[in-house]
Amino acid sequence: MSAAATRVPVPRMLPREPRSPMQEPLAVRLLESAGTAVAVALLVVGLATSNEGVAPKLVALLAWVPVVCLADLMPVVLWDSVELTMSLPVLLAAGMIFSPFMAALLAFVATTDRREFKREISLMRGLFNRSNVAISVLAASYTFHELGGDTDVWPTVLVFAFVALICDMAINNTLAIVGSHLLTGESLLGLVREVYGRGRPAPFLIGYGCFGLLAVVLATVHSSAGNWGLVAFVIPLFLARQMFMRDRQFSRATEALDEKTHVIRDVSSKIADERRDERLSVAAGLHDEVLPPLYKVHLMGQVIRQDLATGRLLDLEGDIPSLLQAAASANEAIRVLISNLRRSPLGPSGLAGTIRLLARHLEQELHPRFDLSLEEVGGTPLTQLLVYQVAREAMTNAARYAEARRICVSLQVDQGVIRLVVEDDGRGFLPASVDREAHFGIELMRERVELIGGVFRIESLPGYGTSVVARFPLEVG
């Protein structure tokens, strides 16, 4: 068998690679050359020292070649980066029937990778893939025969076949993981997780084990029906392919459901944050603009009441106009507040003022220092709302998760677009390493910017802080 993560040069669990072969590092080329040289040397020595007649065996193997090729041309996508070809049980069955070196020769000659025809991988990579399978089948067949495996002896043949399957899987996957590590630089533990089920190892290994043990059934059928039994191989291979395809569909449905659940939770949290911000904005407007004139109305009412109680009626001529003026000021403040709320989705303070209010709130709660350079930038209500949402996400992440001590926020109009920059001196991170299934903040910011045709960029390194830059069009078409 074989399994591989993204861009790994592997024969049975094939990575889904870009259309053109990537430049391979020297270490990968050395591994490919060494693997191919070892496989070819083993085949030459093994066949040259064989005590059995090679020619009759080669003729018998010819009928197996199209079966292996056909199985390899019908891969199943297990998950986003890995494809599974169907030749495993066929080659293991050949390893049970023929000698180890003959089975390895079949694997080397008949193993087929569609990427070879499309020229998506180099010639050396294709030879390495074939060599990988050949060495694995050689080891599995040798193990089976040395243990005394016999397809006519049940049920012990299942035990021997299972040991051979493990031997095949261990060798092939080890070469796959090492090659992937050298090619992509991904961690070995991450590649092991990707190879063995991607977080679901138990069901994957059970399914794969049953798939591999089909080799016993195929070998038994061949022992009874000869080469005509190869035609019957199509039935179990087709059923196995359907099983993996259904499992893939189930996995995709589960992943989609989990993603939607995460999104719903995240959106619910964002809505709660936005409602809090709205309340803060309205509270600030009431406190700064409405309460002072209302308080003056209250004071003037007390003064007039005192005038009436003491009989100072002449003083009413000066106090009543003051009361009316205070009432008019309160009325105007309330009218302006309501007008601003209707005009702007961000409250009476506008976009810049609301960002300042948020910065003040985060300073009080989490104690970073904010350096603000904010202009009133205009734009449609939708644009202002999206700018604020991105600013809030970036500022909150910097204060709460990056543990930044200083956060700089800049908002201005630059060459006809709104430019928002949020920089911090926090811990920093590798953007490419973020688990998008668990953290949606960066993607939500990007989607909000791109929703109206903007451009989003984030730059960060561990220990060097983070810079978030977003550019929004002033006019949304």
Side-chain angles (χ1 to χ4, degrees):
M1 68 69 71
S2 172
T6 309
R7 301 179 302 279
V8 185
V10 193
R12 292 195 192 148
M13 282 195 185
L14 301 176
R16 304 171 71 185
E17 300 191 5
R19 287 293 177 184
S20 58
M22 61 186 297
Q23 182 65 34
E24 297 176 346
L26 176 61
V28 175
R29 297 199 298 270
L30 291 176
L31 176 65
E32 293 172 349
S33 301
T36 302
V38 169
V40 171
L42 288 173
L43 289 174
V44 171
V45 173
L47 295 176
T49 59
S50 176
N51 296 324
E52 302 177 0
V54 175
K57 295 293 184 181
L58 291 177
V59 174
L61 282 179
L62 289 178
W64 290 71
V65 172
V67 179
V68 175
C69 292
L70 180 63
D72 280 340
L73 291 175
M74 297 189 301
V76 177
V77 178
L78 294 182
W79 38 85
D80 291 341
S81 59
V82 176
E83 290 182 351
L84 171 67
T85 60
M86 308 301 293
S87 63
L88 169 64
V90 180
L91 291 173
L92 286 182
M96 297 175 186
I97 295 171
F98 299 100
S99 67
F101 291 103
M102 297 302 295
L105 179 62
L106 172 66
F108 188 84
V109 172
T111 295
T112 305
D113 188 338
R114 295 181 302 174
R115 298 171 301 173
E116 295 179 9
F117 302 114
K118 299 177 181 179
R119 298 190 178 184
E120 295 176 4
I121 58 176
S122 64
L123 175 62
M124 203 65 211
R125 178 86 64 85
L127 290 174
F128 175 69
N129 289 349
R130 294 170 180 270
S131 302
N132 192 348
V133 178
I135 294 172
S136 302
V137 171
L138 174 65
S141 178
Y142 181 82
T143 301
F144 180 81
H145 289 295
E146 284 297 308
L147 291 175
D150 189 340
T151 56
D152 294 329
V153 181
W154 286 72
T156 55
V157 65
L158 293 174
V159 178
F160 300 145
F162 185 71
V163 175
L165 173 63
I166 293 176
C167 184
D168 177 289
M169 181 171 60
I171 293 176
N172 200 301
N173 280 5
T174 299
L175 289 173
I177 291 171
V178 171
S180 177
H181 174 69
L182 295 176
L183 181 65
T184 67
E186 299 180 39
S187 70
L188 292 175
L189 289 178
L191 291 170
V192 170
R193 178 181 179 274
E194 187 79 10
V195 166
Y196 292 101
R198 199 183 186 187
R200 299 174 61 239
F204 168 75
L205 291 175
I206 292 173
Y208 198 85
C210 294
F211 177 58
L213 290 178
L214 274 178
V216 179
V217 177
L218 301 182
T220 302
V221 170
H222 185 272
S223 297
S224 301
N227 285 342
W228 285 106
L230 295 173
V231 179
F233 284 14
V234 175
I235 299 174
L237 290 179
F238 175 77
L239 293 177
R241 187 173 188 272
Q242 292 299 110
M243 177 195 73
F244 282 111
M245 290 181 64
R246 291 298 176 88
D247 181 72
R248 167 59 178 162
Q249 293 172 356
F250 175 76
S251 299
R252 293 183 65 179
T254 303
E255 291 173 1
L257 180 61
D258 291 342
E259 182 177 351
K260 290 180 180 179
T261 301
H262 282 299
V263 170
I264 290 173
R265 289 176 181 172
D266 191 78
V267 169
S268 298
S269 175
K270 301 303 180 191
I271 291 174
D273 290 341
E274 290 171 8
R275 293 294 301 275
R276 181 202 65 192
D277 295 340
E278 290 173 359
R279 292 194 297 270
L280 288 173
S281 298
V282 173
L286 291 173
H287 179 272
D288 297 338
E289 306 296 335
V290 177
L291 282 183
L294 283 179
Y295 183 64
K296 186 175 181 179
V297 169
H298 171 74
L299 289 179
M300 294 309 303
Q302 293 295 328
V303 170
I304 291 175
R305 180 180 180 181
Q306 187 67 24
D307 289 343
L308 292 174
T310 58
R312 297 198 302 267
L313 299 181
L314 294 178
D315 292 343
L316 293 176
E317 293 182 4
D319 294 336
I320 288 177
S322 296
L323 174 63
L324 294 176
Q325 182 181 3
S329 297
N331 179 69
E332 177 64 16
I334 294 173
R335 186 191 67 79
V336 171
L337 175 63
I338 294 173
S339 176
N340 288 337
L341 287 173
R342 294 180 64 185
R343 183 181 69 253
S344 172
L346 301 173
S349 302
L351 176 57
T354 306
I355 292 177
R356 288 191 184 92
L357 184 65
L358 174 63
R360 189 164 63 220
H361 172 73
L362 290 173
E363 283 180 333
Q364 293 173 354
E365 180 183 0
L366 301 170
H367 311 297
R369 180 167 66 88
F370 279 89
D371 292 338
L372 305 178
S373 176
L374 307 176
E375 301 177 1
E376 287 298 345
V377 295
T380 65
L382 173 61
T383 301
Q384 289 198 6
L385 179 61
L386 292 175
V387 172
Y388 173 70
Q389 289 173 333
V390 173
R392 186 195 65 241
E393 182 73 28
M395 293 164 64
T396 303
N397 287 346
R400 179 165 289 134
Y401 304 116
E403 300 177 357
R405 293 170 297 178
R406 181 170 177 263
I407 304 171
C408 299
V409 184
S410 170
L411 178 67
Q412 60 184 354
V413 175
D414 180 19
Q415 297 181 352
V417 298
I418 300 173
R419 188 172 185 268
L420 170 70
V421 181
V422 180
E423 297 177 317
D424 68 70
D425 61 355
R427 294 182 300 177
F429 63 99
L430 290 175
S433 66
V434 174
D435 185 357
R436 297 183 180 181
E437 296 181 1
H439 305 284
F440 292 89
I442 295 176
E443 290 305 309
L444 283 174
M445 286 192 288
R446 186 185 307 278
E447 290 173 2
R448 281 168 169 162
V449 175
E450 294 176 353
L451 177 66
I452 56 174
V455 178
F456 177 83
R457 187 179 78 252
I458 183 168
E459 297 178 354
S460 184
L461 283 174
Y464 291 91
T466 301
S467 174
V468 175
V469 180
R471 296 169 65 88
F472 302 81
L474 272 172
E475 300 295 332
V476 181

